Amino acid sequence: MIVNTAEFGYDPVSMPTPTKPQTARPPSSLIPKLRRDLLAWYATHRRDLPWRRTRDPYRIWISEVMLQQTQVATVIPFYHRFLERFPNLAALARADLQTVLKQWEGLGYYRRAHHLHRAAMEMMDAGGGRVPDRHRAFRALPGVGDYIANAVMSIAFDRPRAVVDGNVKRVLARLGGIGDPVNQSAAHRVFQQAADRLLDHSCPGTFNQAVMELGALVCTPRRPYCPECPWRTSCHACRNDLTDWLPRRIRRAPVPKHAMAAGVVCHRGRVLVVQRPSEGLLAGLWEFPGGRRQQRESGPTACRRLLRETTALDVTIERRLIRVDHAYTHFKIKLDLFLGRKAGGRVRLDGPQAFRWVRPQELNALPFTGVCKKTFPQLTLDRLCRG
Ligand code: SF4
């Protein structure tokens, strides 16, 4: 039986009908064995990841923030570079935000970098210059949600706090036959309760990492490797051939796609770049000026209009340079990038917080949006600015 703890608009795909009622939740008597089996498996199979070689709460915090929304293999080089640049809380708090964003460039979800920086400053100002070892104090910092708080508290300080992320939800849904949708925020409580019940209080940090590792290596989204799983004899989904049906998800509306236009505006060997506002999406990052196209508006017309509206410049559009697609969490964009020459006017900003006329070789000193970075290898800015 799939245990639904609330009524939701489920994915219309119908579930297989159970032949007889059964209790999916692992009985309490089985929990010590589940813990033992998982920890034994983890001791043998765990990956040797850099953040697993330390108990330094600062380093663990940085790794957990990076690992939210980003794959392990992507995070590793960023983790090393970031810690080389900011080896401790004081170094991060002392840095200016632009330097932090530059180190974060390419990792995406830049709000994480803003929050890290603000939280580090708060810890230096009011927290005694260290990562708090109490859940309440740490949870109150910018960008620290339940997952980060529980991960850092358990791994660095052995606090009995169970973590619940996507991997953990998938494993728990299958192990216990939890039918609540994993992408429904109202169901989070159900997964948190299941994780709390399972947590081994004698080694909470190791146990949390073991569940996440099981989800990453064995209980994978598609075709989990059940024969290699330490929980295979107890797992509801495995025993009832439900691994294709669990976890369940609510089907979301397709993300909208927006057409954008931006200009590579060259003038006297330099190119114009603007800095996004200090709040909102991609706050504080740099980009080529532009924006969203209107319906039925041609690319060059949109680009000229957007440059006039955001920078007050009169620009002659020469040609389209490239088109790139880029995906954000809630929407996608198709960006047309045009080559423009300044025809008149002086920069007066409406929207961006700052602008610079930079030489092409100076671009790398600034933190840019991901979509802009994507265009760099295809642009021969040196030549364009000389032309
Ligand atoms: S037995 Fe299979 S479905 Fe169950 S937890 Fe293990 S890998 Fe996942």
Side-chain angles (χ1 to χ4, degrees):
M1 179 179 72
I2 302 297
V3 181
N4 297 325
T5 54
E7 290 185 14
F8 292 105
Y10 283 140
D11 184 311
V13 177
S14 62
M15 298 288 295
T17 311
T19 50
K20 58 179 182 183
Q22 50 190 289
T23 304
R25 195 178 185 228
S28 300
S29 58
L30 190 62
I31 288 180
K33 176 173 162 34
L34 290 173
R35 291 173 182 154
R36 273 196 312 277
D37 290 349
L38 179 65
L39 289 169
W41 171 86
Y42 183 63
T44 313
H45 294 88
R46 54 179 276 171
R47 289 168 291 177
D48 179 23
L49 300 174
W51 43 88
R52 288 186 178 156
R53 297 178 206 147
T54 180
R55 296 289 300 274
D56 178 347
Y58 171 72
R59 288 172 175 250
I60 291 166
W61 172 50
I62 298 296
S63 71
E64 290 297 342
V65 172
M66 288 185 169
L67 286 164
Q68 282 204 310
Q69 326 271 5
T70 313
Q71 302 280 328
V72 165
T74 307
V75 165
I76 290 173
F78 281 94
Y79 174 81
H80 287 305
R81 277 202 298 272
F82 196 88
L83 288 173
E84 208 169 289
R85 184 71 182 75
F86 313 115
N88 50 46
L89 206 51
L92 179 57
R94 262 198 320 269
D96 66 61
L97 179 61
Q98 287 290 291
T99 312
V100 178
L101 291 174
K102 185 66 193 167
Q103 286 300 123
W104 202 266
E105 192 181 61
L107 256 186
Y109 299 96
Y110 288 84
R111 183 134 305 275
R112 296 180 295 177
H114 284 261
H115 283 146
L116 274 180
H117 188 233
R118 271 181 41 215
M121 289 195 290
E122 282 190 23
M123 285 186 261
M124 290 308 292
D125 286 349
R130 60 180 182 83
V131 175
D133 62 358
R134 296 285 163 184
H135 181 269
R136 183 187 290 225
F138 187 57
R139 177 72 176 78
L141 291 165
V144 178
D146 286 334
Y147 170 80
I148 295 284
N150 291 353
V152 174
M153 288 300 110
S154 64
I155 297 168
F157 301 115
D158 277 331
R159 303 270 181 231
R161 294 269 171 183
V163 298
V164 175
D165 70 351
N167 279 338
V168 173
K169 281 184 182 174
R170 183 171 61 256
V171 173
L172 294 176
R174 287 171 173 163
L175 173 71
I178 299 172
D180 300 67
V182 287
N183 59 343
Q184 161 72 264
S185 56
H188 186 83
R189 181 181 51 84
V190 176
F191 289 98
Q192 186 66 58
Q193 284 170 352
D196 290 345
R197 186 167 173 262
L198 209 55
L199 183 69
D200 189 330
H201 286 219
S202 68
C203 53
T206 307
F207 188 83
N208 277 333
Q209 292 182 86
V211 182
M212 290 190 279
E213 194 77 333
L214 188 71
L217 300 183
V218 178
C219 195
T220 47
R222 283 159 206 259
R223 286 195 238 136
Y225 308 103
C226 297
E228 293 168 33
C229 180
W231 285 348
R232 63 191 171 280
T233 55
S234 318
C235 174
H236 179 80
C238 180
R239 287 162 57 109
N240 293 282
D241 198 17
L242 290 171
T243 53
D244 287 347
W245 303 91
L246 289 168
R248 303 198 72 180
R249 308 186 143 268
I250 293 173
R251 193 170 287 175
R252 302 225 183 260
V255 294
K257 190 161 191 175
H258 304 308
M260 315 284 290
V264 174
V265 182
C266 295
H267 185 59
R268 295 183 178 160
R270 294 173 187 249
V271 62
L272 179 64
V273 292
V274 294
Q275 187 182 25
R276 294 178 63 86
S278 56
E279 295 292 331
L281 183 72
L282 306 172
L285 297 179
W286 291 80
E287 63 185 3
F288 296 121
R292 202 155 145 189
R293 278 165 68 170
Q294 292 170 349
Q295 268 194 349
R296 288 192 274 277
E297 189 179 31
S298 76
T301 304
C303 188
R304 211 166 24 247
R305 172 183 64 77
L306 288 159
L307 290 170
R308 200 170 45 243
E309 287 174 1
T310 56
T311 68
L313 285 184
D314 190 11
V315 173
T316 308
I317 302 297
E318 290 194 357
R319 60 187 164 92
R320 191 176 81 183
L321 293 169
I322 44 174
R323 168 175 285 181
V324 283
D325 293 301
H326 197 71
Y328 295 96
T329 317
H330 299 301
F331 61 91
K332 296 176 179 174
I333 63 168
K334 185 181 286 295
L335 170 71
D336 284 325
L337 196 59
F338 294 89
L339 176 63
R341 305 276 172 204
K342 181 181 160 189
R346 286 183 52 211
V347 177
R348 283 194 318 278
L349 296 176
D350 185 358
Q353 59 170 311
F355 74 95
R356 286 190 198 172
W357 289 100
V358 293
R359 296 182 199 285
Q361 61 271 27
E362 293 166 350
L363 281 176
N364 268 337
L366 299 172
F368 273 89
T369 61
V371 66
C372 252
K373 284 289 279 186
K374 235 182 206 178
T375 68
F376 288 172
Q378 300 174 60
L379 296 175
T380 47
L381 281 172
D382 264 339
R383 192 166 53 75
L384 293 172
C385 284
R386 275 200 310 270

